[in-house]
Amino acid sequence: MSLANQTAVTRRLEITPTPPPLPGGTDAAAPAATATDDDTAIPATADDTAIPATADATAAPEAHTAPDSSGAPEGSANSRTAPGAPAARALPPTAVAAVLHAFGGRTRELPPRTVVFIGSTAPLTALPAAYEGIEVRTAPSPAHALHLAHHELQALRADLALVAGFQEPPGRAVTVQSLRRAAEAVAADDSVLGVLDFDGCTGPADEPVLRPSRHSRRLTDPTAPRLLLWSGRNAAEEQRVRRELAPLLDGLFPEAFPALPATMPCGQAPGPVRAGAVTTAERAPAAVAGARAVHAPRPRPVALLFPGQGSQHTAMAAGLYGREPVFTAAVDAVLELMGPEGPAIRADWLADTPAVAIDDVRRAQPLLFAVDYGLGCMVLSWGIRPAALLGHSAGELVAAVLAGVVPLSTAVAMMRERVVAARRIPPGGMLAVAAGADALRPYLRADVVVAAVNATSQTMLAGSAAPLAETAAALRADGHTVVTVPATSPFHSPAMAPASAAVERAYTGMPFRAPGLPLYSGYTGHLLGPDDAVSPRFWARQITDPVLFLPALDQLLAADDMLLLEAGPRQTLTVFARRHRAVRLGASAAVPLLPARPVGPEADRHAVLTAAGRLWQEGHRLKGEALARLWTCAADEPPVTPATRSGSSPVGVAG
């Protein structure tokens, strides 16, 4: 069972109604929400942004049942009572409010393409077609509602489905299930209860089977490096913990080394004096003895940086794929959303000799998006909540997903439109020049322009192939250091104007929101405002406009002292950030997640472990269980192309 092509049940909550129980009259009090999974429940709040406890039945739209051209079950439930059966009380409009209230009560925090599915054997009384901007669909039974939700997730018409089944006779509790595409649920670090298997269903009235979500197996390799972290409330206590670790590690059976807790001592909050080591079982005693302790009473907030085209290389971050479940699931989710091209993109990423060169826009942009997004999800799964996000070029689209501007499926669709439009543009390229933008003005010719301002003395130029080659020759002749950026398209230049126009048309109507996290834009040099965030024109002109990375970084580091964490390959943005005055003076710091150049899978894992250790020593509290996946998990089986099984098509495949 592929994790990437199944619908995940991520939460179960129960609505326990107050008398009279639901289904009931329209004057019934709204039910209170209780969660059967406390770790994943979102508590309802009483502020003015929460869903009200009751809904105004007189203000609700007329009952609506949208036709389903796919053939999935759906229809009015107003006359479903069997002949001779006692008349059932109608389900009131407050049922929709109750479902949303059970899930936390804040519609603005749900994905834009959230749909509420009500499966009820009771009549439905004037259920609204939408509530607080959330679409409402109905089905003649709870099982029908699950099938309909599964179908909508498959077809990429929904990103989150809240399914409530109201049965007859009326009971005291109603279960609300939260369904997402499984890879996206794991990548978001949701608590996945299992995957719904529809293969055994002969019709929409059959209940699907909930199967365990097995996506990895445990490793006990003592030769693999792992992270050991420990702390104390003061220097003396840290030394005591270190002394207690020494005999434990000396006498430990090697195969038990991966099973040691990630952070010690266990059972108490970490102290401000921190130390850590990336080590194997054999070297652990010496590594612990030689580790340097630091005092970190106040951790600097974390800002995630996402690089764009030019940072890619073959097999970038491949050492994490199949070994770190969240990263793997996130990459799989992106590639599944790429449709039929997804398996080919994955194959070229992992191949020594790809069929399509990794620098081709058809590979560079999708893979950079997938790797950046996977790394960002992995860091979030450790318990890190970024204070700010900043992406470079295509990386800004990844930042937009994590900031809540667009759901993942929409961002992947936007990426696909960019790739299709870029391929229609004649070949061009980009140059990195060790000089300031003003010094390069005399060298600009034809459509060659400043494409990015990355640092005080690091500028990128872009343009069509012939004039760009002439510019490069002139710069080198005058003694400038010039490096050709791995790119086959002249991004961030006027040559891309036709592509920008095509992309803007495609973006119109897509669901955009204001950022939920501070997102610094490389196209404005400032915080992304709500007007730009929801503008198709803003996102489309990124193809032609210059990237103002340095001005955006200036604004970001002026807000606070930051720990900048680069979630992408090659350490390109880390190098730029380390040239910034705030980082050179030590007020802020820049840390990469991956090696500076292609080395191998072990180097990928070692770099990630080192970055996690740096976050710990900075004073951040990390989830030990999530960290341990880096050295205790491996793919359950080699990654394969998800196949469509008889009777069902895979969830998440665009078609």
Side-chain angles (χ1 to χ4, degrees), residues 99-488:
V99 170
L100 291 168
H101 186 78
F103 200 72
R106 295 172 181 264
T107 55
R108 71 184 184 196
E109 295 179 358
L110 297 174
R113 297 199 302 179
T114 296
V115 183
V116 172
F117 296 88
I118 303 288
S120 174
T121 53
L124 303 176
T125 302
L127 278 185
Y131 185 91
E132 295 282 329
I134 304 296
E135 184 181 355
V136 178
R137 308 283 295 277
T138 62
S141 72
H144 280 71
L146 280 174
H147 281 265
L148 181 59
H150 170 75
H151 181 84
E152 295 296 284
L153 288 165
Q154 264 187 316
L156 304 183
R157 290 194 289 266
D159 294 310
L160 174 66
L162 305 181
V163 182
F166 292 83
Q167 297 272 22
E168 289 186 83
R172 294 293 302 178
V174 176
T175 299
V176 180
Q177 299 182 36
S178 161
L179 275 63
R180 298 178 64 180
R181 289 175 286 271
E184 294 173 38
V186 174
D189 203 34
D190 278 343
S191 178
V192 177
L193 300 182
V195 293
L196 287 173
D197 188 352
F198 289 82
D199 274 0
C201 299
T202 59
D206 292 344
E207 288 276 357
V209 177
L210 181 66
R211 303 194 185 281
S213 174
R214 287 187 65 240
H215 54 272
S216 62
R217 58 185 171 84
R218 293 190 68 80
L219 295 176
T220 56
D221 181 6
T223 65
R226 60 153 292 170
L227 194 56
L228 283 173
L229 305 172
W230 65 95
S231 69
R233 288 169 291 187
N234 50 50
E237 185 174 273
E238 184 274 324
Q239 285 293 320
R240 177 180 61 78
V241 174
R242 193 189 299 239
R243 287 193 300 271
E244 290 173 354
L245 273 174
L248 171 65
L249 296 172
D250 270 331
L252 188 68
F253 189 61
E255 279 68 25
F257 180 66
L260 286 177
T263 60
M264 290 170 277
C266 300
Q268 69 182 57
V273 180
R274 307 280 185 97
V278 179
T279 182
T280 61
E282 182 182 6
R283 299 176 180 176
V288 169
R292 183 175 67 90
V294 297
H295 187 238
R298 178 188 176 273
R300 287 171 289 195
V302 172
L304 289 178
L305 308 181
F306 300 98
Q309 186 150 346
S311 297
Q312 75 279 353
H313 61 78
T314 303
M316 54 186 170
L320 303 176
Y321 189 65
R323 289 292 300 269
E324 207 294 323
V326 170
F327 175 84
T328 303
V331 171
D332 281 347
V334 172
L335 296 181
E336 286 246 348
L337 290 167
M338 290 297 297
E341 185 71 0
I345 295 172
R346 181 191 287 107
D348 281 341
W349 172 42
L350 301 175
D352 293 333
T353 307
V356 177
I358 204 71
D359 296 334
D360 189 295
V361 68
R362 292 172 293 170
R363 295 295 179 264
Q365 298 255 331
L367 284 174
L368 274 170
F369 182 97
V371 168
D372 286 6
Y373 175 70
L375 292 172
C377 289
M378 181 184 68
V379 171
L380 265 60
S381 76
W382 298 344
I384 297 295
R385 290 297 173 261
L389 304 162
L390 170 58
H392 189 290
S393 188
E396 187 158 316
L397 197 52
V398 178
V401 176
L402 298 184
V405 175
V406 287
L408 177 63
S409 56
T410 299
V412 174
M414 294 170 71
M415 176 63 63
R416 293 179 72 179
E417 294 293 343
R418 288 173 63 152
V419 171
V420 169
R423 288 196 64 205
R424 299 193 182 109
I425 303 300
M430 308 177 81
L431 302 173
V433 187
D438 291 339
L440 299 179
R441 303 292 178 192
Y443 295 92
L444 305 183
R445 64 192 70 199
D447 63 359
V448 177
V449 297
V450 171
V453 179
N454 294 324
T456 304
S457 296
Q458 210 291 324
T459 306
M460 287 175 63
L461 305 180
S464 300
L468 191 67
E470 294 173 5
T471 299
L475 286 165
R476 291 187 176 106
D478 289 346
H480 289 283
T481 300
V482 181
V483 177
T484 301
V485 176
T488 57

